[in-house]
Amino acid sequence: MTTLVLTAHGSTNPRSAANARAVAGRLARMRPGLDVRVAFCEKNSPGLVDVLAGLSGPGVVTPLLLANAYHARLDIPRQIASCGLAERGIDLRQADVLGEDDRLVSVLRQRVTELGVSRLDDTLGVLVVAIGSSNPVANACTAEVAPKLIVGTRWAAATTAFATRPEPSLAEAVKLLRREGAHRVVIAPWFLAPGRLPDRVQRFACGAGITMAAPLGSHPLVAETVLDRFDQARKARAARLAA
């Protein structure tokens, strides 16, 4: 049996780790018999290296990450390489990140409507706030979420700002939405879990008198997307072995 190693970023905020464990629990319920283990890149235990050291059979490191940025592109592969599993004859693959999957965008749209917002409100502007990366390609991919979010609604406009990048600032993004016809603005956080950065965005929202939706959390569609990435990696492994 292939083990799914659900690998989250890690945070000093315990709510973040709790969300990763909630996703893992949902995965186990959705697919009984699947060996699901939680690991963290940093700041929480167990660390990814420790979890991989305990594997005795094939595994797929499945990132609980939205963007194909530093942790997915560099950190996780480096930690995998440091374990020496290939020398032990253990097959290990890394799955793709969750990305801008339509299922996750639908969850984000649901989070906005949970604020009491109508999909027919043509006065509404939506500010999608994400973590941000030093990789411009990753940021460009994340920026695709905002136009996808308003599909099927009459919302006036949507745009993206990054919590860790200087431009555009959250305040500048709000001004842009108002120039595009939004009479009021809500924040749609492109975050998987509560934590330090979402709290920073929440403080901005409170100061600006803007309502902020909940993060994606452990919604069933988040877990479904994780399983999809896991299955894709397993199929790629099977195809390689059959070649």
Side-chain angles (χ1 to χ4, degrees):
M1 178 180 292
T2 301
T3 298
L4 191 160
V5 183
L6 184 69
T7 306
H9 181 288
S11 171
T12 56
N13 189 306
R15 293 174 296 165
S16 179
N19 185 74
R21 299 185 195 284
V23 173
R26 190 177 290 280
L27 294 172
R29 292 191 296 274
M30 291 173 67
R31 190 166 295 183
L34 177 62
D35 183 8
V36 180
R37 306 187 191 186
V38 177
F40 298 93
C41 292
E42 59 183 23
K43 298 178 182 177
N44 294 109
S45 296
L48 177 57
V49 171
D50 294 332
V51 172
L52 295 181
L55 293 183
S56 57
V60 174
V61 175
T62 311
L64 187 60
L65 301 171
L66 293 171
N68 188 28
Y70 167 74
H71 284 290
R73 295 174 59 249
L74 299 173
D75 185 30
I76 291 175
R78 184 173 60 238
Q79 294 197 45
I80 290 173
S82 72
C83 293
L85 292 180
E87 291 79 358
R88 292 165 49 195
I90 295 178
D91 186 272
L92 187 69
R93 299 186 68 88
Q94 179 178 337
D96 291 337
V97 297
L98 305 184
E100 302 74 42
D101 192 284
D102 288 346
R103 288 166 290 195
L104 303 185
V105 175
S106 73
V107 175
L108 188 62
R109 192 180 300 115
Q110 176 183 325
R111 295 297 186 229
V112 173
T113 59
E114 286 170 354
L115 298 174
V117 170
S118 169
R119 295 191 183 204
L120 303 180
D121 185 352
D122 59 5
T123 69
L124 184 75
V126 183
L127 175 55
V128 177
V129 182
I131 293 176
S133 168
S134 59
N135 185 326
V137 175
N139 290 339
C141 290
T142 301
E144 296 174 4
V145 171
K148 291 171 70 172
L149 181 64
I150 61 175
V151 171
T153 76
R154 294 180 61 186
W155 296 339
T159 192
T160 304
F162 297 100
T164 60
R165 307 303 300 167
E167 296 179 359
S169 70
L170 301 187
E172 290 168 342
V174 170
K175 291 179 181 177
L176 173 62
L177 289 170
R178 296 197 188 283
R179 288 197 298 269
E180 293 185 355
H183 294 178
R184 66 187 184 109
V185 174
V186 298
I187 291 179
W190 189 241
F191 294 97
L192 285 164
R196 183 176 57 86
L197 285 177
D199 284 350
R200 183 198 299 176
V201 178
Q202 181 68 69
R203 288 193 294 272
F204 164 81
C206 290
I210 296 173
T211 305
M212 178 170 161
L216 303 179
S218 59
H219 192 282
L221 290 178
V222 173
E224 183 178 302
T225 307
V226 170
L227 287 174
D228 186 58
R229 300 296 181 267
F230 170 74
D231 289 337
Q232 288 173 357
R234 281 199 312 160
K235 289 175 183 176
R237 172 180 178 269
R240 178 175 60 82
L241 293 175

